[in-house]
Amino acid sequence: MKLNKLKILKNEELIRLVNFKDGLNLITNSIDNNRTGNGVGKSTLSRVLDFIFGANIDVIYSETEYKQANTEIYNFFEKNNIIAELEFLDKNTTICSVSKTLSNKEDNIKYYINNNLTNKGEYYEFIKNNLFNLTSKTPTLREVLPKFIRNNSHRMQSTTNFLDKYTDDNKYLEIYLFFFG
């Protein structure tokens, strides 16, 4: 699997495009601007990816450091039709895309596979099979993702026990067998 690009559309107009390159991709601020790197969208980008892969919408607008919602982002979702679209190469190197509407109301979230409207179950099954090659019931997509998306301090600091503190060793064994055979 290889990520190609992430598009964010506001009312059908492209407002952000992130192209991914082969290998490791690092998101930083622009070298030629005088900003410190804070507020350029690095964390938000990983949170949008997490949302595409099944996290709740509040992962995008909740400031975990300050334990409060970012009302600017929350209101942005309320007032606009926002869609996040991820293009990738699947396990057969076919170009595919998945997209979701970013809505504060679960009932308003729409799911798309290759620009075709689908249901939530088919959407996540498509991601499991085509992006992560998860073909068994366990581990689940949400159990595997923290190894790829580390957007909170627990995930960044816990490289081996990256799930919640109640996860037992058998679950980690299952996950490591998936990763390492």
Side-chain angles (χ1 to χ4, degrees), residues 54-77:
N56 292 329
I57 187 71
D58 62 352
V59 75
I60 299 173
Y61 61 77
S62 292
E63 297 291 343
T64 53
E65 296 175 51
Y66 310 112
K67 297 186 172 84
Q68 60 185 352
N70 181 323
T71 54
E72 184 180 348
I73 296 173
Y74 182 90
N75 292 334
F76 182 70
F77 295 158

Side-chain angles (χ1 to χ4, degrees), residues 42-106:
K42 300 178 303 290
S43 296
T44 303
L45 174 68
S46 72
R47 292 172 183 168
V48 169
L49 286 170
D50 203 10
F51 174 72
I52 288 172
F53 297 140
N56 292 329
I57 187 71
D58 62 352
V59 75
I60 299 173
Y61 61 77
S62 292
E63 297 291 343
T64 53
E65 296 175 51
Y66 310 112
K67 297 186 172 84
Q68 60 185 352
N70 181 323
T71 54
E72 184 180 348
I73 296 173
Y74 182 90
N75 292 334
F76 182 70
F77 295 158
E78 282 291 309
K79 295 175 182 173
N80 299 285
N81 179 32
I82 308 300
I83 296 176
E85 179 182 324
L86 180 65
E87 181 186 288
F88 62 93
L89 294 178
D90 71 3
K91 59 189 174 188
N92 300 314
T93 66
T94 303
I95 296 175
C96 300
S97 70
V98 291
S99 38
K100 278 175 77 171
T101 55
L102 282 71
S103 173
N104 298 324
K105 297 178 183 98
E106 178 69 31

Side-chain angles (χ1 to χ4, degrees), residues 5-28:
K5 58 184 153 189
L6 175 68
K7 296 181 196 176
I8 308 294
L9 297 110
K10 172 186 167 192
N11 304 322
E12 299 183 19
E13 181 182 326
L14 181 68
I15 60 169
R16 182 82 186 248
L17 173 64
V18 177
N19 290 304
F20 297 100
K21 297 181 169 83
D22 289 341
L24 178 66
N25 286 260
L26 301 174
I27 310 294
T28 63

